[in-house]
Amino acid sequence: MLTVELALAGLGVGAIAALAAVGMITSYRATGVFNLSFGALAMIVAYLVWQQVRVWGWPLWAAVLLDVGVVAPALGLVLERFVFRGLHREGAGPARMLVASLGVFVLLVGAATLAWGTQARLDPPSIVPAGSVGLPGDTSVAKGTLVELGVVAAVAVLVAVVTRFTRFGVRLRAVVDRRALAELSGVPADRVAATGWAFGSMLAGLTGVLLAPHLRLDPYGLTLLVLETIGVAVVARLASLPVAILAALAIGVGQSELSRLEPDSWELIQALQANLFVVVMLVALLVLPRMVEVGGPDPARAVGARIGTGHGESAPVGWWVPFVAVAAAPLALGAEHLRVAQQVPAMAIVFVSLVMLTGYAGQISLGQAGFAGLGALFAAQLASRDVPALLALFLAAFLVVPVGLLTGWPAIRRRGLTLALTTFAVAAVVSRFVFAQPRFTTGLTLDHPWPFDGERSFYALELLCLVLVLLVVRRLHVSRLGRMLVAVRDHERGAAAAGVDVASAKVFVFAVGAGVAGLGGALLGMGGRAFDAAAFDPVLGLVWFAAVVVFGVDSAAGAVLAAGLVVALDAATTAGMSTIVIGGLAVLLSRMPGGVPATLLRLAAGPAPVPAAPPPPVRLGPLGRTLRERVRAGRAEVGG
């Protein structure tokens, strides 16, 4: 039975989630991009208001009007013009759109960290009145909750009126769904899209200003909270604002009511209460039908479509020689530097699994960090039970395969954004309910396997595993099964019409990809000689996916380069620098078709050769015209 006091407290949590979800859905419907950087935009605006009010002494109303009404829309205009307009014009698929928004997310979080540090600010200004309103029965509800619910309702009504009953709403839907056709109809697509981005960013700024007083203001707290409320948007199928509001309020009340069950004595209930939004996201993605995604089913926008180098260049002869030299170089380093270098082959294996899934099969997976973490956890569990560490390494990879099968089964009827969010939800649930639970991670031992217990011998084992994985991927790519996967990637319905068992192909590639990621995760754990849950955070998995796409989503060599860059930058500078660099490169994806390697190949090859001009038409003289008439007459007689 519901407790009124707890239910009213839950309404406050639900109002926060509803505000974030309404903003995300509205931004998605207005721009056609599921903006993973929505929370980062909210965080930046909240920080600006804090800086102006608490540090510079501005009036609160002036800071809010400036930041929400001017700065936030200006950020949206900048993103539309310099990040997403080029991607829209070239028909980029969901993978590159997600990576571009993730790049913005990383850059904004990095900028906030550099400007304000990681110290939490406990005094963000509030624009809602303090106090509470009394209700019958000696209960009360906070005024802030009522204001936030009113703002949510007002935004929902405004969006409904604009999109359904105005000419601009018709143009906006046309640009988002069919940009090329809208332009042919005379719609100023760029101007309409820019307006949509400005409005979506303004909602993000308003969300940040309203949410900040409820939280500690730091670069990650507010950003990650918005990511967790994706579940509310999923329940609404990214379409219905009333459903999103009701779902957020129901989840907030449910989360508050769970506190009556004395979670301190039951770890599962405690984890469920803290992560109810994540659980709802996964259940909704598995149970509900496909989300209402904007944009038409344009075959040119295949999720994992191969992106050529532009002029048909191929890699130079002997391109693999530098790889071998660089891979062998750490063997000459000291033990401390060699331990850092051991991360590269293990992480490269995880990255190659993403190439298999997204590059070859066209299935967006944002959950590889979960598979890698399970591989490390299974290896630690087996090694702690006296299983030989070398055997535990490969058994752990095989034990992750069934998890890939379970994830791949829902993927049979999913693609694009729905599949991406499903895999992210799986990784988040695994992280919160497995990696974060002491009963699964306490008392584990993990070390280098015998006879590779030395630093150099273990690094040699990692290189051997990486070579084996690359050979498997190469064989998969050139085999009949590989051609089937590419067919599914390029045109799923066409592949099914040609006799390809699409369902089996999807499940197979998910299972194999999970096993490969599990092998890489087990090697990461053995290299660190312990299981570290923070090394497999689901948000970190988003950065891994971005790195693979930036370096060529269909290039195994690019995945190895990406792993080397990530490890080298963090080791040579400060932890997290690789994330900022990857974010910057992701933002530039519209100017780097095919990623960094393809762009470098185009630059090395020089400008494309100008096609030869067609020969000028031949002008016949009197004799030529006479002969032509005689030939035509002869043909006519023969035809008769």
Side-chain angles (χ1 to χ4, degrees):
M1 184 175 180
L2 293 178
T3 302
V4 176
E5 291 81 3
L6 291 177
L8 291 176
L11 285 179
V13 178
I16 294 174
L19 185 61
V22 166
M24 293 188 73
I25 293 175
T26 303
S27 176
Y28 176 62
R29 307 301 294 183
T31 64
V33 177
F34 191 78
N35 192 3
L36 291 175
S37 64
F38 186 88
L41 286 167
M43 176 269 299
I44 286 291
V45 174
Y47 257 116
L48 289 175
V49 172
W50 175 86
Q51 177 75 25
Q52 294 159 356
V53 174
R54 300 301 187 199
V55 179
W56 296 342
W58 288 22
L60 177 59
W61 63 268
V64 172
L65 287 179
L66 174 64
D67 296 330
V68 176
V70 179
V71 176
L75 286 174
L77 294 176
V78 171
L79 292 179
E80 189 280 330
R81 176 62 184 86
F82 297 102
V83 179
F84 293 99
R85 180 179 296 184
L87 293 173
H88 277 298
R89 287 193 173 278
E90 65 184 58
R96 294 176 65 195
M97 289 293 188
L98 282 175
V99 169
S101 69
L102 181 57
V104 176
F105 162 85
V106 170
L107 283 181
L108 292 179
V109 171
T113 302
L114 292 176
W116 293 286
T118 57
Q119 179 182 2
R121 314 292 177 177
L122 304 179
D123 57 343
S126 175
I127 62 174
V128 299
S132 58
V133 176
L135 298 176
D138 295 330
T139 59
S140 60
V141 60
K143 293 181 180 179
T145 299
L146 297 177
V147 172
E148 288 160 357
L149 289 175
V151 170
V152 170
V155 170
V157 172
L158 175 64
V159 171
V161 170
V162 171
T163 56
R164 296 183 182 181
F165 304 107
T166 66
R167 183 182 179 187
F168 175 79
V170 175
R171 288 185 167 188
L172 183 63
R173 294 198 304 271
V175 170
V176 172
D177 291 337
R178 289 289 191 277
R179 188 185 186 104
L181 292 180
E183 290 177 338
L184 291 176
S185 302
V187 176
D190 291 340
R191 190 182 308 169
V192 172
T195 304
W197 272 99
F199 182 70
S201 297
M202 184 182 70
L203 288 182
L206 179 61
T207 301
V209 171
L210 289 175
L211 296 190
H214 297 275
L215 307 166
R216 298 184 310 166
L217 182 57
D218 65 84
Y220 290 95
L222 181 60
T223 306
L224 297 182
L225 175 66
V226 176
L227 280 179
E228 290 183 359
T229 58
I230 289 177
V232 179
V234 170
V235 171
R237 299 179 64 200
L238 300 181
S240 176
L241 297 183
V243 171
I245 296 172
L246 293 176
L249 296 179
I251 296 172
V253 171
Q255 191 177 50
S256 182
E257 293 291 338
L258 283 175
S259 62
R260 294 191 303 127
L261 300 179
E262 299 181 359
D264 293 337
S265 61
W266 194 359
E267 293 180 359
L268 181 61
I269 294 297
Q270 186 179 16
L272 181 62
Q273 180 192 11
N275 303 289
L276 188 57
F277 283 96
V278 175
V279 175
V280 168
M281 175 169 61
L282 178 59
V283 173
L285 285 165
L286 295 178
V287 174
L288 294 178
R290 185 180 178 88
M291 291 185 294
V292 184
E293 299 186 28
V294 298
D298 187 356
R301 297 188 178 190
V303 171
R306 174 179 293 274
I307 304 169
T309 56
H311 308 314
E313 306 92 343
S314 58
V317 177
W319 63 270
W320 49 270
V321 174
F323 276 83
V324 175
V326 172
L331 294 174
L333 299 176
E336 182 179 354
H337 293 91
L338 186 55
R339 279 192 291 270
V340 175
Q342 286 171 355
Q343 302 176 46
V344 177
M347 190 174 293
I349 292 175
V350 180
F351 285 10
V352 169
S353 70
L354 281 169
V355 172
M356 297 171 58
L357 281 171
T358 305
Y360 294 168
Q363 307 302 308
I364 299 179
S365 176
L366 302 180
Q368 294 307 97
F371 296 139
L374 285 175
L377 182 60
F378 287 153
Q381 291 280 0
L382 293 171
S384 301
R385 288 167 171 77
D386 298 327
V387 177
L390 187 60
L391 179 61
L393 171 65
F394 294 101
L395 280 179
F398 282 109
L399 289 175
V400 180
V401 170
V403 183
L405 287 172
L406 293 176
T407 306
W409 187 257
I412 293 176
R413 56 190 179 90
R414 285 170 167 81
R415 192 175 175 89
L417 177 60
T418 308
L419 177 59
L421 294 181
T422 302
T423 54
F424 176 75
V426 169
V429 168
V430 169
S431 176
R432 305 294 175 82
F433 288 89
V434 180
F435 300 162
Q437 300 305 313
R439 67 172 63 186
F440 297 119
T441 59
T442 303
L444 300 181
T445 59
L446 195 61
D447 205 342
H448 295 174
W450 181 89
F452 303 96
D453 42 6
E455 299 296 344
R456 286 178 175 78
S457 58
F458 179 72
Y459 183 75
L461 173 64
E462 288 185 307
L463 290 181
L464 178 61
C465 292
L466 176 59
V467 170
L468 291 176
V469 168
L470 291 176
L471 291 175
V472 170
V473 172
R474 175 63 180 171
R475 179 59 186 168
L476 175 66
H477 190 48
V478 301
S479 65
R480 180 175 180 272
L481 177 59
R483 292 192 294 271
M484 292 168 56
L485 292 175
V486 172
V488 173
R489 176 197 70 186
D490 291 340
H491 201 293
E492 188 172 310
R493 293 182 180 179
V500 175
D501 189 346
V502 174
S504 298
K506 284 186 174 182
V507 173
F508 173 81
V509 74
F510 260 96
V512 174
V516 172
L519 177 62
L523 288 172
L524 279 173
M526 289 182 173
R529 300 179 186 268
F531 173 77
D532 182 10
F536 306 103
D537 188 273
V539 176
L540 187 60
L542 299 179
V543 180
W544 291 356
F545 179 80
V548 173
V549 176
V550 163
F551 278 83
V553 71
D554 58 354
S555 171
V560 178
L561 284 174
L565 177 69
V566 169
V567 175
L569 282 176
D570 287 342
T573 55
T574 59
M577 180 58 67
S578 65
T579 303
I580 298 178
V581 173
I582 293 297
L585 293 175
V587 169
L588 298 174
L589 270 180
S590 62
R591 293 167 174 80
M592 296 190 304
V596 173
T599 302
L600 293 178
L601 283 176
R602 283 196 301 272
L603 293 176
V610 179
V618 179
R619 299 178 63 88
L620 298 178
L623 180 60
R625 288 194 294 269
T626 302
L627 292 175
R628 182 179 61 185
E629 295 299 330
R630 289 180 180 179
V631 170
R632 289 178 177 176
R635 288 177 179 175
E637 293 178 0
V638 173

